[in-house]
Amino acid sequence: MTVTYAASYAAWPPGTDPDLLRRDVARAHEEFLSTGRPPRPVRDVVRDSWQRSLRGGVDPEADGPRSPGLGAAELRDYRRQHPMAAVLPVVRSLLVEPAQDSDQLVAVGDERARLLWVEGTPGLAARAERIGFVEGAQWAEDAAGTNAPGTAVALGRPLQIYAGEHFIRPVHSWSCSAAPVRDPDTGAVIGVLDLTGGDDIAAPHALALVRATVAAAEAELRLLRLRGVLPAAPAPGAPGASGTSGAGARLEVLARDRARLTSPYGTVELSPRHSEIVFLLARHPRGLGADALAARLHEHESARVTMRAEMSRLRRLLGPQVLGSRPYRLLLPAATDADEVRALLARGAHRRALARYPGALLPGSDAPAIVDAREELDWSLRRALRDRGDARLLLDWLDRPGNHDDVELLRAALRALPRESPRGPVLRALLDRARR
């Protein structure tokens, strides 16, 4: 039996046997190096990266990246001025600290996949040194072949690389999940977050964790920018000049089907469709074309024909000083109340985060991109409450409408409560009912 899978950015499709996948990918790698032809059982994203690595002259037998790393002093100066330094506390809270109890490394890289920080268990870090996975090393595809941080930067999107999918053979005992980090104003890739370790790093939950951390890091960057802690980034195509107004906007989307946008030009309550559009533009500061917006809002290609008319109505509502075109974009830096919750979670301010979370993000929307954002935020909050294990916070969550059947947090609350607590029998009854 051969495992076949095509264009997925996740390493393990549903129902995949990891051992079988490892053998199939190892055989495919050997075949590719022997013949130069792309073998069939390899994902498109991996096959294309192998071809780029081969054309770029990367040695598949190399011990690590072929580009020299930065020296200690040079690396220290570079890290100090890099924008990724501003989100390092967020990354350490969400990725590094949980990784201390497992064999995982967390790497923070720049926009070219140069590793700025590599943190994790000492034993695993020592092993990683043998393949050159160290601070200051260059892991772009043209230096290290197919790998999660380098390929994620090359493609501009999250992905996983499993075992033999790496182009360099000595890296085949590793797996990794990575996602690029984008500037809150320009949308340009400014860095990359990577989780590296054994086979379990290629499981779906690992990529979800990395993506949630990236979302929190980008939210933190946006808030720091709005508060003036970070300097404004140059707009695309205009070095040294900001592409947005100095004043920002705030979008409220939590527990609301009709979002509320507040800007220097006033406050407006948006229709459900306009709420979805403005939220997506707030998440993509560089802008989105009509096709890209339609793809995120609708599951059917035919829906794209209505997008331009919808955007014309929205532009008349908000004004040309707020909504630009070609591509469609907000002309003000915009933070959302969802961003604020993510940033508070990243700082460990769980009580404040829960207080700022009145309910789900645009709960009435079934647009694919909105559903993804809603589930991502819900997952981040629930995971933080579970890991914190604070009985009062857990009870606050469970007392909210719709949360009574949350099996995972019911169990967490029972573990956190004193044995003699009068809430214990009630929670056990709720848990029994939820199981049934």
Side-chain angles (χ1 to χ4, degrees):
M1 175 184 177
T2 299
V3 176
T4 59
Y5 57 127
S8 174
Y9 287 82
W12 291 357
T16 298
D17 180 339
D19 292 332
L20 180 60
L21 177 59
R22 177 184 285 275
R23 291 194 297 271
D24 279 352
V25 171
R27 283 195 296 266
H29 187 264
E30 291 295 333
E31 179 184 341
F32 177 77
L33 294 182
S34 300
T35 66
R37 294 191 300 272
R40 293 186 63 187
V42 174
R43 291 184 292 159
D44 293 349
V45 64
V46 173
R47 180 201 62 211
D48 295 345
S49 178
W50 282 358
Q51 291 176 318
R52 290 194 298 270
S53 302
L54 191 64
R55 288 195 301 267
V58 178
D59 181 2
E61 305 299 335
D63 292 333
R66 61 182 178 180
S67 298
L70 297 178
E74 188 180 8
L75 175 62
R76 184 172 57 251
D77 292 341
Y78 182 47
R79 293 195 303 196
R80 186 181 300 119
Q81 53 83 32
H82 199 278
M84 291 300 292
V87 298
L88 197 57
V90 171
V91 177
R92 284 175 171 152
S93 173
L94 294 182
L95 279 184
V96 177
E97 292 176 11
Q100 290 175 350
D101 298 326
S102 56
D103 269 350
Q104 298 174 359
L105 293 178
V106 176
V108 179
D110 68 3
E111 66 279 6
R112 283 277 298 146
R114 183 179 295 279
L115 306 185
L116 305 180
W117 292 270
V118 179
E119 301 184 6
T121 55
L124 198 64
R127 278 185 54 209
E129 287 184 20
R130 301 170 197 161
I131 59 168
F133 196 82
V134 295
E135 294 177 348
Q138 175 58 266
W139 275 77
E141 272 192 348
D142 57 5
T146 307
N147 68 91
T151 304
V153 164
L155 299 179
R157 65 169 301 160
L159 56 75
Q160 296 176 304
I161 298 296
Y162 176 63
E165 291 180 330
H166 288 92
F167 186 74
I168 296 179
R169 206 186 306 269
V171 191
H172 284 189
S173 61
W174 300 81
S175 293
C176 41
S177 295
V181 179
R182 295 183 178 274
D183 183 272
D185 286 345
T186 68
V189 173
I190 59 170
V192 63
L193 297 186
D194 172 77
L195 197 58
T196 287
D199 287 358
D200 58 318
I201 301 301
H205 74 272
L207 187 58
L209 178 58
V210 172
R211 293 181 66 180
T213 305
V214 166
E218 291 175 342
E220 179 74 356
L221 283 170
R222 187 176 294 113
L223 290 174
L224 292 174
R225 183 71 52 75
L226 289 173
R227 291 170 182 166
V229 177
L230 287 179
S242 173
T244 59
S245 165
R250 184 173 188 269
L251 183 68
E252 297 170 67
V253 293
L254 298 180
R256 304 178 64 94
D257 289 326
R258 301 172 65 93
R260 182 163 54 208
L261 179 68
T262 301
S263 76
Y265 305 100
T267 298
V268 59
E269 188 172 84
L270 303 168
S271 71
R273 175 57 77 208
H274 287 166
S275 298
E276 296 167 342
I277 292 171
V278 174
F279 174 74
L280 290 177
L281 294 181
R283 296 198 89 185
H284 296 82
R286 199 171 186 176
L288 294 168
D291 285 351
L293 266 172
R296 287 165 170 81
L297 293 173
H298 308 279
E299 296 181 355
H300 304 293
E301 295 290 320
S302 60
R304 297 185 177 189
V305 299
T306 65
M307 185 51 60
R308 288 183 175 84
E310 196 70 70
M311 294 306 296
S312 294
R313 288 191 288 271
L314 180 59
R315 197 160 190 260
R316 286 196 297 271
L317 175 67
L318 299 183
Q321 70 274 30
V322 175
L323 182 63
S325 59
R326 298 181 182 178
Y328 298 116
R329 66 198 185 280
L330 295 176
L331 300 178
L332 306 172
T336 72
D337 49 358
D339 293 334
E340 295 167 2
V341 172
R342 289 192 193 95
L344 290 168
L345 289 174
R347 296 172 187 160
H350 301 89
R351 193 172 304 282
R352 291 175 60 197
L354 187 57
R356 296 279 188 91
Y357 184 80
L361 190 158
L362 297 179
S365 172
D366 59 1
I370 303 300
V371 172
D372 286 347
R374 182 165 62 233
E375 292 178 349
E376 179 185 280
L377 181 60
D378 178 75
W379 180 87
S380 299
L381 183 59
R382 293 176 65 255
R383 177 185 175 275
L385 296 179
R386 181 201 67 194
D387 293 348
R388 175 73 175 267
D390 184 308
R392 289 178 58 192
L393 291 178
L394 289 164
L395 292 175
D396 185 352
W397 173 265
L398 293 168
D399 286 341
R400 296 186 179 196
N403 292 348
H404 303 310
D405 58 353
D406 190 329
V407 171
E408 184 179 25
L409 294 196
L410 281 167
R411 289 172 175 160
L414 283 169
R415 289 193 299 269
L417 280 174
R419 183 170 300 180
E420 66 280 4
S421 171
R423 290 294 301 269
V426 176
L427 294 182
R428 281 189 284 272
L430 289 172
L431 182 58
D432 288 343
R433 187 177 69 181
R435 286 168 174 166
R436 290 196 298 271

